[in-house]
Amino acid sequence: MDKIIIEHLSLQYSDGTESLRDVSLGIREKAVTVLFGPAGGGKSTLLRCLNRLNDLTEVKTSAGRILIDGENILDPKTDVIALRRKVGMVFARPVVLPLSIRGNLTYGLELAGEKRKSKLDEAVERSLKLAALWDEVKERLDDPAIALSGGQQQRLCLARSLALQPEIILLDEPTSGLDPISTGKVEAALQELKKEYTIVLVPHSVQQAGRTADYAAFFLQGELVEYGEGKAMFTSPKEKRTEDYVTGRFG
Amino acid sequence: MEKTLNWREYIITRLIKASGYSAIIFVLLIFFFLLREGVPALAEVPLSALFSVRWYPIEGDNFGILPLLTGSLIVTLGAAIIAIPFGIGTAVYISEIAPRWMREILKPLVELLGGLPSVVLGFLGILVLAPFLRRFLDLPTGLTAFTGSLLLGGIAVPTVVSVAEDALDAVPRAYREGAWALGATRWQTIWRVTLPAARSGVLTAVMLGIGRAIGETMTVMMVTGNAPVLALSLSSLFSPVRTMTATIAAEMGEVSNGSTHYHVLFFIGMVLFLISLGVNIAASSVVFRAKKRAERILS
């Protein structure tokens, strides 16, 4: 079943740089969908539309609809705050808040008004376990989060969005700054998470796209070139441009 | 060819060095001048008299600087209470809330306000603000500490806004996006993420604003009534006071060179110098700490 349906979405930044042209795409529930392609293709822009983070940048024109569970989230009447709690996001560079590990995890819940300590503790443990970080930090939850390694910080950010119990998780090149071992841990966590969550990932390499994708969408200069099952896409793409990119002839 | 290039290089480096050193030397010279003219006051007037509550230098050698000190403090405190919330609020609006075109109008406008000659503001204060306050608050005179505070607040606001806005602007976009993505509202993001992250810059802005207010002379001389009365209670906010700067400016032209009065005026100058030095050191130590912290995070 499609959790997210994107219909004829067109979008342009006010300086005219990156844009999306008439993109239509359905994103499956409880699977990893990968948006890949060379830089400037509009992958991140699309990702940021899904939790309306683009609201705060200068977007000139926007046409089309994005339906999540059947509701058009681009509607001005949408409760953006509630949307962002439902659609969590992890960024390329881990943005660790200058708080303790526990403080980072409970931050979003506290913003939402949750005060009960038992609920908060429960959320901390559950989200850390989901992000495969619990065993590494359970002894030192009150240490400053900044002391964690890069890979741990990124998994902490993943756990932080999981703490809000979202339904969809957006990841924008989450492993671009990480070593292979940490990258492997994040990818393994995603494979576990997809049993419960809908995951949309912008990978930092074609190889990662190939490793993680259940479904894949190839973007080139704002255009959705091809969409299909991950395996098929990386072994026998239908489009010439996709094949050229996947085999490394350009990009 | 090679030779002349080397010469030019040499001369230019030396010139730059010389101008750098001269800046330090001038400050030191001014400081020594202040000391030379001000310290004799300590020998000529006993300390207890210097820190007494009567300032009547013409009749009977009463050189108590406490009324002037409290006058300066109460006016500056009032100015700070006005300038800090107003200045930080404006900075937050410009940096976080205003759309781009609004920001591009507001920022130069605020900086223009900062360049307004203080005598013009004083003029405004005498003609408009003081009569208005006298009628509105039913006071015997509109020339009060409060009038001075209002105007000084106005003078300090552009400084606070300009520096605080730069600090807020320097907060990485990723912090805000991280908070938004967690479902924080705009206000929650500003109050719990952006402002704390820019804390040191905002503190510097406040200190620089206070420094600007405490050293201001022209405006306060024109609007505070210049009565050297000890200002200790809240009610003295609404009566005339006299500040240290105004005293120096008003009396320096009248005293005979080398007299006790002359030395005491320089002593007041020393006190002012120490106060603004203290404010500046506090401000720069905050900035210095913040820099080290930023380096630690980025490394």
Side-chain angles (χ1 to χ4, degrees), chain B residues 110-125 151-152 154-156 158 212 216-220 222-223:
Chain B
V110 164
E111 265 145 35
L112 199 72
L113 206 65
L116 211 62
S118 53
V119 68
V120 175
L121 269 174
F123 204 56
L124 217 80
L151 285 175
L152 276 191
I155 288 176
R212 178 91 168 77
E216 180 52 46
T217 309
M218 207 58 220
T219 316
V220 287
M222 289 166 83
V223 303

mmCIF file of all heavy atoms in Angstrom, chain B residues 110-125 151-152 154-156 158 212 216-220 222-223:
data_model
loop_
_atom_site.group_PDB
_atom_site.id
_atom_site.type_symbol
_atom_site.label_atom_id
_atom_site.label_comp_id
_atom_site.label_asym_id
_atom_site.label_seq_id
_atom_site.Cartn_x
_atom_site.Cartn_y
_atom_site.Cartn_z
ATOM 1 N N VAL B 110 18.129 50.300 11.114
ATOM 2 C CA VAL B 110 18.589 50.246 12.502
ATOM 3 C C VAL B 110 20.009 50.798 12.600
ATOM 4 O O VAL B 110 20.343 51.551 13.508
ATOM 5 C CB VAL B 110 18.533 48.796 13.025
ATOM 6 C CG1 VAL B 110 19.351 48.657 14.291
ATOM 7 C CG2 VAL B 110 17.106 48.392 13.294
ATOM 8 N N GLU B 111 20.840 50.442 11.606
ATOM 9 C CA GLU B 111 22.206 50.938 11.656
ATOM 10 C C GLU B 111 22.270 52.448 11.450
ATOM 11 O O GLU B 111 23.124 53.134 12.007
ATOM 12 C CB GLU B 111 23.074 50.181 10.636
ATOM 13 C CG GLU B 111 23.793 49.023 11.327
ATOM 14 C CD GLU B 111 23.956 47.791 10.468
ATOM 15 O OE1 GLU B 111 24.143 47.936 9.246
ATOM 16 O OE2 GLU B 111 23.910 46.682 11.021
ATOM 17 N N LEU B 112 21.336 52.938 10.639
ATOM 18 C CA LEU B 112 21.242 54.387 10.437
ATOM 19 C C LEU B 112 20.893 55.072 11.754
ATOM 20 O O LEU B 112 21.444 56.097 12.126
ATOM 21 C CB LEU B 112 20.149 54.676 9.401
ATOM 22 C CG LEU B 112 20.195 56.035 8.720
ATOM 23 C CD1 LEU B 112 21.361 56.069 7.745
ATOM 24 C CD2 LEU B 112 18.899 56.296 7.979
ATOM 25 N N LEU B 113 19.969 54.467 12.483
ATOM 26 C CA LEU B 113 19.540 54.985 13.778
ATOM 27 C C LEU B 113 20.739 55.079 14.723
ATOM 28 O O LEU B 113 20.848 56.008 15.507
ATOM 29 C CB LEU B 113 18.476 54.060 14.357
ATOM 30 C CG LEU B 113 17.485 54.650 15.332
ATOM 31 C CD1 LEU B 113 16.632 55.676 14.620
ATOM 32 C CD2 LEU B 113 16.621 53.551 15.910
ATOM 33 N N GLY B 114 21.634 54.078 14.618
ATOM 34 C CA GLY B 114 22.822 54.073 15.455
ATOM 35 C C GLY B 114 23.755 55.244 15.145
ATOM 36 O O GLY B 114 24.537 55.670 15.985
ATOM 37 N N GLY B 115 23.656 55.771 13.933
ATOM 38 C CA GLY B 115 24.541 56.867 13.550
ATOM 39 C C GLY B 115 23.960 58.238 13.831
ATOM 40 O O GLY B 115 24.587 59.256 13.547
ATOM 41 N N LEU B 116 22.764 58.272 14.401
ATOM 42 C CA LEU B 116 22.106 59.555 14.699
ATOM 43 C C LEU B 116 22.919 60.309 15.752
ATOM 44 O O LEU B 116 23.196 59.776 16.815
ATOM 45 C CB LEU B 116 20.706 59.260 15.234
ATOM 46 C CG LEU B 116 19.619 60.290 14.938
ATOM 47 C CD1 LEU B 116 19.409 60.408 13.446
ATOM 48 C CD2 LEU B 116 18.331 59.877 15.622
ATOM 49 N N PRO B 117 23.282 61.585 15.484
ATOM 50 C CA PRO B 117 24.058 62.332 16.490
ATOM 51 C C PRO B 117 23.250 62.468 17.779
ATOM 52 O O PRO B 117 22.056 62.753 17.728
ATOM 53 C CB PRO B 117 24.262 63.702 15.841
ATOM 54 C CG PRO B 117 23.976 63.516 14.403
ATOM 55 C CD PRO B 117 23.030 62.372 14.284
ATOM 56 N N SER B 118 23.920 62.264 18.912
ATOM 57 C CA SER B 118 23.164 62.233 20.159
ATOM 58 C C SER B 118 22.583 63.602 20.505
ATOM 59 O O SER B 118 21.579 63.692 21.199
ATOM 60 C CB SER B 118 24.037 61.712 21.292
ATOM 61 O OG SER B 118 25.229 62.448 21.362
ATOM 62 N N VAL B 119 23.204 64.661 19.986
ATOM 63 C CA VAL B 119 22.676 65.995 20.296
ATOM 64 C C VAL B 119 21.300 66.172 19.660
ATOM 65 O O VAL B 119 20.421 66.838 20.205
ATOM 66 C CB VAL B 119 23.673 67.093 19.845
ATOM 67 C CG1 VAL B 119 23.768 67.152 18.334
ATOM 68 C CG2 VAL B 119 23.283 68.426 20.420
ATOM 69 N N VAL B 120 21.098 65.509 18.516
ATOM 70 C CA VAL B 120 19.788 65.586 17.854
ATOM 71 C C VAL B 120 18.730 64.906 18.724
ATOM 72 O O VAL B 120 17.624 65.427 18.902
ATOM 73 C CB VAL B 120 19.858 64.918 16.471
ATOM 74 C CG1 VAL B 120 18.481 64.883 15.831
ATOM 75 C CG2 VAL B 120 20.822 65.665 15.582
ATOM 76 N N LEU B 121 19.106 63.757 19.289
ATOM 77 C CA LEU B 121 18.184 63.058 20.178
ATOM 78 C C LEU B 121 17.891 63.901 21.416
ATOM 79 O O LEU B 121 16.763 63.943 21.904
ATOM 80 C CB LEU B 121 18.779 61.717 20.603
ATOM 81 C CG LEU B 121 18.431 60.543 19.705
ATOM 82 C CD1 LEU B 121 19.183 59.308 20.147
ATOM 83 C CD2 LEU B 121 16.938 60.274 19.743
ATOM 84 N N GLY B 122 18.924 64.579 21.927
ATOM 85 C CA GLY B 122 18.754 65.440 23.089
ATOM 86 C C GLY B 122 17.762 66.559 22.793
ATOM 87 O O GLY B 122 16.889 66.886 23.602
ATOM 88 N N PHE B 123 17.898 67.104 21.613
ATOM 89 C CA PHE B 123 17.006 68.146 21.130
ATOM 90 C C PHE B 123 15.565 67.656 21.160
ATOM 91 O O PHE B 123 14.667 68.302 21.689
ATOM 92 C CB PHE B 123 17.445 68.447 19.698
ATOM 93 C CG PHE B 123 17.077 69.800 19.220
ATOM 94 C CD1 PHE B 123 17.481 70.924 19.913
ATOM 95 C CD2 PHE B 123 16.348 69.959 18.057
ATOM 96 C CE1 PHE B 123 17.137 72.181 19.469
ATOM 97 C CE2 PHE B 123 16.003 71.202 17.608
ATOM 98 C CZ PHE B 123 16.394 72.322 18.308
ATOM 99 N N LEU B 124 15.387 66.478 20.589
ATOM 100 C CA LEU B 124 14.084 65.825 20.557
ATOM 101 C C LEU B 124 13.565 65.644 21.986
ATOM 102 O O LEU B 124 12.382 65.838 22.274
ATOM 103 C CB LEU B 124 14.226 64.471 19.878
ATOM 104 C CG LEU B 124 13.094 64.008 19.000
ATOM 105 C CD1 LEU B 124 13.203 64.692 17.645
ATOM 106 C CD2 LEU B 124 13.151 62.503 18.834
ATOM 107 N N GLY B 125 14.474 65.254 22.873
ATOM 108 C CA GLY B 125 14.088 65.005 24.254
ATOM 109 C C GLY B 125 13.592 66.263 24.931
ATOM 110 O O GLY B 125 12.560 66.262 25.606
ATOM 111 N N LEU B 151 15.809 58.044 26.389
ATOM 112 C CA LEU B 151 16.608 58.437 25.226
ATOM 113 C C LEU B 151 17.861 57.573 25.103
ATOM 114 O O LEU B 151 18.235 57.144 24.014
ATOM 115 C CB LEU B 151 16.981 59.913 25.314
ATOM 116 C CG LEU B 151 15.823 60.853 25.008
ATOM 117 C CD1 LEU B 151 16.235 62.284 25.243
ATOM 118 C CD2 LEU B 151 15.363 60.680 23.563
ATOM 119 N N LEU B 152 18.516 57.307 26.244
ATOM 120 C CA LEU B 152 19.712 56.460 26.205
ATOM 121 C C LEU B 152 19.357 55.055 25.743
ATOM 122 O O LEU B 152 20.117 54.421 25.009
ATOM 123 C CB LEU B 152 20.355 56.380 27.585
ATOM 124 C CG LEU B 152 21.287 57.505 27.975
ATOM 125 C CD1 LEU B 152 22.028 57.149 29.237
ATOM 126 C CD2 LEU B 152 22.265 57.783 26.865
ATOM 127 N N GLY B 154 17.069 54.399 23.656
ATOM 128 C CA GLY B 154 16.982 54.553 22.208
ATOM 129 C C GLY B 154 18.340 54.549 21.546
ATOM 130 O O GLY B 154 18.520 54.023 20.444
ATOM 131 N N ILE B 155 19.335 55.136 22.231
ATOM 132 C CA ILE B 155 20.680 55.159 21.669
ATOM 133 C C ILE B 155 21.315 53.776 21.711
ATOM 134 O O ILE B 155 22.038 53.371 20.801
ATOM 135 C CB ILE B 155 21.554 56.190 22.435
ATOM 136 C CG1 ILE B 155 21.103 57.597 22.060
ATOM 137 C CG2 ILE B 155 23.019 55.998 22.131
ATOM 138 C CD1 ILE B 155 21.814 58.686 22.807
ATOM 139 N N ALA B 156 21.018 53.014 22.782
ATOM 140 C CA ALA B 156 21.658 51.705 22.933
ATOM 141 C C ALA B 156 21.005 50.647 22.055
ATOM 142 O O ALA B 156 21.656 49.670 21.669
ATOM 143 C CB ALA B 156 21.621 51.265 24.402
ATOM 144 N N PRO B 158 20.086 50.383 18.831
ATOM 145 C CA PRO B 158 20.726 49.980 17.568
ATOM 146 C C PRO B 158 21.983 49.134 17.776
ATOM 147 O O PRO B 158 22.200 48.162 17.052
ATOM 148 C CB PRO B 158 21.086 51.315 16.916
ATOM 149 C CG PRO B 158 20.185 52.305 17.522
ATOM 150 C CD PRO B 158 19.929 51.839 18.918
ATOM 151 N N ARG B 212 27.750 51.735 25.682
ATOM 152 C CA ARG B 212 27.374 52.907 24.881
ATOM 153 C C ARG B 212 26.553 53.880 25.720
ATOM 154 O O ARG B 212 26.739 55.088 25.661
ATOM 155 C CB ARG B 212 26.562 52.403 23.685
ATOM 156 C CG ARG B 212 26.030 53.429 22.746
ATOM 157 C CD ARG B 212 27.020 53.688 21.629
ATOM 158 N NE ARG B 212 26.400 54.470 20.554
ATOM 159 C CZ ARG B 212 26.186 55.783 20.632
ATOM 160 N NH1 ARG B 212 26.549 56.442 21.698
ATOM 161 N NH2 ARG B 212 25.619 56.423 19.626
ATOM 162 N N GLU B 216 27.579 57.952 27.289
ATOM 163 C CA GLU B 216 26.880 58.991 26.548
ATOM 164 C C GLU B 216 26.810 60.288 27.359
ATOM 165 O O GLU B 216 26.523 60.274 28.544
ATOM 166 C CB GLU B 216 25.478 58.480 26.213
ATOM 167 C CG GLU B 216 24.619 59.436 25.443
ATOM 168 C CD GLU B 216 25.298 59.963 24.201
ATOM 169 O OE1 GLU B 216 25.884 59.162 23.452
ATOM 170 O OE2 GLU B 216 25.266 61.181 23.988
ATOM 171 N N THR B 217 27.086 61.421 26.723
ATOM 172 C CA THR B 217 27.180 62.687 27.435
ATOM 173 C C THR B 217 26.117 63.699 27.026
ATOM 174 O O THR B 217 25.348 64.199 27.839
ATOM 175 C CB THR B 217 28.552 63.340 27.182
ATOM 176 O OG1 THR B 217 29.549 62.390 27.449
ATOM 177 C CG2 THR B 217 28.723 64.552 28.034
ATOM 178 N N MET B 218 26.082 63.985 25.751
ATOM 179 C CA MET B 218 25.306 65.123 25.251
ATOM 180 C C MET B 218 23.831 65.002 25.619
ATOM 181 O O MET B 218 23.244 65.907 26.199
ATOM 182 C CB MET B 218 25.472 65.150 23.721
ATOM 183 C CG MET B 218 25.311 66.518 23.148
ATOM 184 S SD MET B 218 26.502 67.624 23.888
ATOM 185 C CE MET B 218 25.467 69.053 24.055
ATOM 186 N N THR B 219 23.259 63.833 25.291
ATOM 187 C CA THR B 219 21.828 63.656 25.513
ATOM 188 C C THR B 219 21.468 63.813 26.987
ATOM 189 O O THR B 219 20.537 64.531 27.338
ATOM 190 C CB THR B 219 21.388 62.271 25.033
ATOM 191 O OG1 THR B 219 21.989 62.023 23.786
ATOM 192 C CG2 THR B 219 19.911 62.184 24.904
ATOM 193 N N VAL B 220 22.243 63.124 27.848
ATOM 194 C CA VAL B 220 21.876 63.171 29.263
ATOM 195 C C VAL B 220 22.058 64.569 29.833
ATOM 196 O O VAL B 220 21.294 65.011 30.687
ATOM 197 C CB VAL B 220 22.680 62.151 30.110
ATOM 198 C CG1 VAL B 220 22.206 60.757 29.843
ATOM 199 C CG2 VAL B 220 24.155 62.279 29.895
ATOM 200 N N MET B 222 21.484 67.239 28.314
ATOM 201 C CA MET B 222 20.363 68.064 27.875
ATOM 202 C C MET B 222 19.051 67.716 28.577
ATOM 203 O O MET B 222 18.226 68.598 28.796
ATOM 204 C CB MET B 222 20.195 67.937 26.351
ATOM 205 C CG MET B 222 21.314 68.625 25.602
ATOM 206 S SD MET B 222 21.369 68.161 23.857
ATOM 207 C CE MET B 222 20.161 69.222 23.134
ATOM 208 N N VAL B 223 18.845 66.451 28.916
ATOM 209 C CA VAL B 223 17.495 66.086 29.371
ATOM 210 C C VAL B 223 17.369 65.626 30.824
ATOM 211 O O VAL B 223 16.250 65.389 31.271
ATOM 212 C CB VAL B 223 16.861 64.996 28.471
ATOM 213 C CG1 VAL B 223 16.817 65.463 27.035
ATOM 214 C CG2 VAL B 223 17.599 63.692 28.609
#
